[in-house]
Amino acid sequence: MNGATMSVSMASSRRASSGHLCRLQCIIVSFVALLCVVNYSSGSFYTQGDDLSKDRFCFCQLQGTIDDCSCNVDTVDFYNNVKIFPRLRSLLVKDFFRYYKVNLMKECPFWVDDSKCAMRFCHVEQCEEKDIPPGLKGDMSSYHKYLKEVQTLTNCNEDLDKELGFLNTSISDKAHQEFQKWADYDEAQDNFCISDDHEPGAEYVDLLLNPERYTGYRGESARRIWSSIYLENCFQSHSVRRKNPYAAMIPYHDMTQNEVCLEHRVFYRMISGLHSSINIHLSANYLLSEKTSLGFVSPTGVWGTNMGEFERRFSPQTTDNEGQHWLRNLYFAYLVELRALAKAAPYLRNEEYFTGREKEDREVRVAVKDLLNVIEGFPSHFNESVMFSGGTSSVKVKNEFREKFMNISKIMDCVGCDKCRLWGKLQVQGMGTALKILFSGKFDSDVESGFETKLRPSHPQFKLKRAEIVALFNAFGRLSTSIHELEEFRRQMR
């Protein structure tokens, strides 16, 4: 082929390619125009054929107002991820908050359950005695036992009048025990959960050695726990049944049609929010493999994010379009516990947070005050004053609310995985402590203006045990971590 012929052929090829390109451009322009028409007429960015793609990537992208609150999702995301979560993350590794006393040996009070988790990751690593801070050792069952003044007292008879001391010794040990029972009974009337840190068998657990993550605990035993919580303790008709793993949960449609009153909705949304939070933790800290990349058995396992597990627990296809509402309930539970911390802030600022390690105790007091200042500055706190305000009938509802939540704390002793039981008991106690702060009346100021509460921290009725304070902060930390991890799931889906 000579040069002239080649030039003609190349020119013809270019013209042909140009023609194909023009036709392709016309097709693209026509398609875009059609897409615009569809979008304009439907008011949606996606065409009907893209619904699955939309659900796949956007079901966890929440917007708008949180149900039964005056706060937006975006506000919570920003405030938590930028201001609160970083502070909590650095605070909860401190000795006062990392050591939690709990009884993991109690038997299930409701059914005989021998379905213990057989995986090694279900096991709770025990603390060594030498690692427990000196200020926490001994009998720490009562709220006042860990105060600095008590720990540093060397002479029990110091500054005591002899006659008064003689009279005190006439009181028998049995009488002291009875007095304590009366005091415990009176205090228990304000509790929303069981506290077992004073019981035989209770031991300190290092939460940093036993992080909350997916251990492989599943099956009928795990399903029975959540079914019992929803079916036996939520305020709903037993006729509500649906053929999916979450049949016990109240459909969102029923919640929005005013079929459930405010107090019942709050109870359900808090439990649902806790459930969602735990599911996010398990998906974000999933056992990916028991072996290393070289094929050897790893002593600690290989853990990481499991996007498929997250979708299975929350996507519209697997939850009958309820998953997004469960994620919203996470935000609701977060706002309730945030409000409890704000309400108890004057009391919590005056705690010693004593472990016997002076330098760290001082750092913790500074960090807690800083965190509480940030929490009090949140612009849209949950308004608990609108609940239980219906006169005589509201007293009955409040008692039922408390008894049902108390029952849930007992169900935690039926969890077959020790590590799951540990974190379940801690988070339920933390949520129960938040409810105690909000609804016992003992943390209400004499005069309240809006949400501003001015407490007198020295007032004798303001009492929280150390275990309650540790559970309160750690439970809120779990919700805060879930919202932070949810943003990571969104980022990966994008």
Side-chain angles (χ1 to χ4, degrees):
M1 181 180 295
N2 57 33
T5 304
M6 183 178 296
S7 298
V8 172
S9 299
M10 290 178 64
S12 300
S13 298
R14 283 195 295 270
R15 285 194 297 272
S17 299
S18 178
H20 288 306
L21 181 60
C22 287
R23 286 193 294 274
L24 180 60
Q25 289 174 335
C26 290
I27 293 173
I28 292 174
V29 169
S30 299
F31 177 75
V32 171
L34 178 62
L35 183 63
C36 291
V37 171
V38 173
N39 288 343
Y40 178 78
S41 61
S42 65
S44 172
F45 179 78
Y46 295 88
T47 62
Q48 186 176 2
D50 289 327
D51 283 345
L52 291 179
S53 177
K54 175 185 177 182
D55 291 339
R56 165 68 175 77
F57 290 103
C58 295
F59 71 87
C60 63
Q61 187 66 47
L62 308 179
Q63 293 179 340
T65 304
I66 300 168
D67 297 320
D68 291 320
C69 294
S70 60
C71 184
N72 290 330
V73 169
D74 292 342
T75 303
V76 175
D77 280 335
F78 170 79
Y79 217 84
N80 177 73
N81 297 339
V82 175
K83 296 186 176 184
I84 293 179
F85 173 75
R87 287 174 167 84
L88 276 172
R89 182 170 55 180
S90 62
L91 177 64
L92 296 180
V93 299
K94 300 296 187 181
D95 286 348
F96 184 87
F97 294 106
R98 70 182 286 185
Y99 292 99
Y100 176 60
K101 195 171 186 181
V102 61
N103 186 357
L104 298 176
M105 306 304 294
K106 296 172 69 173
E107 293 185 0
C108 175
F110 302 110
W111 60 77
V112 177
D113 190 0
D114 56 0
S115 55
K116 293 290 185 181
C117 179
M119 293 188 67
R120 57 192 174 103
F121 300 109
C122 292
H123 177 67
V124 171
E125 297 289 338
Q126 298 297 325
C127 291
E128 293 190 26
E129 182 70 17
K130 64 180 180 64
D131 295 328
I132 300 176
L136 303 186
K137 295 179 181 179
D139 181 12
M140 311 297 293
S141 60
S142 298
Y143 72 97
H144 61 278
K145 295 288 184 68
Y146 66 93
L147 294 179
K148 183 177 180 180
E149 292 79 1
V150 176
Q151 295 296 325
T152 55
L153 188 63
T154 56
N155 184 1
C156 293
N157 295 318
E158 185 177 0
D159 293 331
L160 293 180
D161 182 84
K162 290 184 179 180
E163 183 181 357
L164 194 59
F166 173 77
L167 292 173
N168 282 340
T169 59
S170 67
I171 301 175
S172 66
D173 291 339
K174 183 177 181 180
H176 277 298
Q177 293 174 4
E178 292 300 321
F179 295 155
Q180 186 60 46
K181 287 181 181 178
W182 295 345
D184 291 342
Y185 175 82
D186 291 339
E187 183 180 350
Q189 304 313 300
D190 298 318
N191 290 342
F192 283 76
C193 62
I194 302 296
S195 178
D196 57 19
D197 60 302
H198 62 285
E199 296 179 355
E203 295 181 348
Y204 279 105
V205 177
D206 186 342
L207 298 177
L208 298 187
L209 287 181
N210 299 277
E212 184 182 22
R213 55 193 182 186
Y214 183 75
T215 62
Y217 177 59
R218 63 171 75 188
E220 183 58 32
S221 177
R223 282 194 294 270
R224 181 162 51 177
I225 295 296
W226 286 111
S227 294
S228 298
I229 289 174
Y230 284 108
L231 288 175
E232 298 178 19
N233 296 288
C234 278
F235 308 83
Q236 68 174 86
S237 170
H238 285 276
S239 63
V240 178
R241 295 289 188 275
R242 290 181 297 160
K243 295 181 179 180
N244 66 46
Y246 304 97
M249 298 185 183
I250 303 176
Y252 181 73
H253 176 269
D254 293 348
M255 302 283 283
T256 57
Q257 295 300 313
N258 294 323
E259 297 181 17
V260 183
C261 71
L262 173 62
E263 287 79 7
H264 296 178
R265 292 199 306 269
V266 168
F267 186 97
Y268 170 78
R269 285 185 171 130
M270 290 194 68
I271 300 304
S272 174
L274 173 63
H275 195 177
S276 297
S277 179
I278 291 174
N279 281 336
I280 291 174
H281 300 153
L282 303 187
S283 302
N285 296 277
Y286 196 88
L287 179 60
L288 301 178
S289 175
E290 294 193 41
K291 297 182 179 180
T292 65
S293 57
L294 299 177
F296 300 107
V297 175
S298 171
T300 58
V302 180
W303 304 83
T305 300
N306 188 325
M307 186 64 69
E309 185 68 16
F310 176 75
E311 291 188 54
R312 185 183 72 80
R313 293 174 184 265
F314 292 106
S315 71
Q317 290 78 15
T318 58
T319 63
D320 197 17
N321 291 312
E322 294 287 335
Q324 189 176 83
H325 306 306
W326 299 341
L327 290 175
R328 285 184 175 274
N329 291 337
L330 161 66
Y331 285 78
F332 180 84
Y334 176 92
L335 288 173
V336 171
E337 294 195 16
L338 183 76
R339 168 59 183 151
L341 284 165
K343 188 170 186 175
Y347 172 88
L348 295 171
R349 280 195 184 93
N350 287 274
E351 285 295 296
E352 288 288 338
Y353 302 99
F354 180 73
T355 65
R357 295 171 178 170
E358 184 176 352
K359 181 177 181 296
E360 181 164 304
D361 291 350
R362 185 166 58 250
E363 293 174 351
V364 168
R365 288 192 291 271
V366 173
V368 167
K369 290 176 182 178
D370 175 57
L371 174 64
L372 294 174
N373 288 339
V374 172
I375 289 175
E376 287 181 312
F378 185 73
S380 302
H381 277 292
F382 174 74
N383 183 5
E384 78 281 3
S385 65
V386 298
M387 294 180 59
F388 309 119
S389 58
T392 306
S393 61
S394 66
V395 175
K396 180 181 178 180
V397 174
K398 183 178 179 179
N399 289 334
E400 190 178 5
F401 190 106
R402 188 181 69 86
E403 290 171 1
K404 288 182 178 295
F405 202 90
M406 186 82 72
N407 201 50
I408 290 175
S409 71
K410 296 177 182 178
I411 292 177
M412 292 298 103
D413 288 316
C414 301
V415 177
C417 163
D418 287 344
K419 192 168 291 184
C420 305
R421 179 185 293 201
L422 164 65
W423 285 100
K425 287 171 74 76
L426 181 144
Q427 291 175 83
V428 168
Q429 185 177 20
M431 187 170 282
T433 303
L435 294 173
K436 175 181 179 179
I437 292 170
L438 294 178
F439 301 121
S440 69
K442 291 187 176 180
F443 290 82
D444 295 340
S445 63
D446 295 332
V447 178
E448 288 194 347
S449 175
F451 289 116
E452 296 296 326
T453 57
K454 296 181 179 180
L455 299 177
R456 292 171 291 166
S458 60
H459 197 287
Q461 64 181 346
F462 302 136
K463 297 178 182 178
L464 289 177
K465 295 181 179 180
R466 178 186 177 274
E468 291 177 310
I469 296 175
V470 173
L472 176 66
F473 276 85
N474 274 284
F476 182 63
R478 292 284 77 202
L479 297 175
S480 174
T481 300
S482 292
I483 291 176
H484 182 266
E485 288 173 340
L486 185 57
E487 182 59 34
E488 288 299 309
F489 278 114
R490 292 188 190 115
R491 183 185 61 80
Q492 292 185 38
M493 282 190 167
R494 294 190 194 106

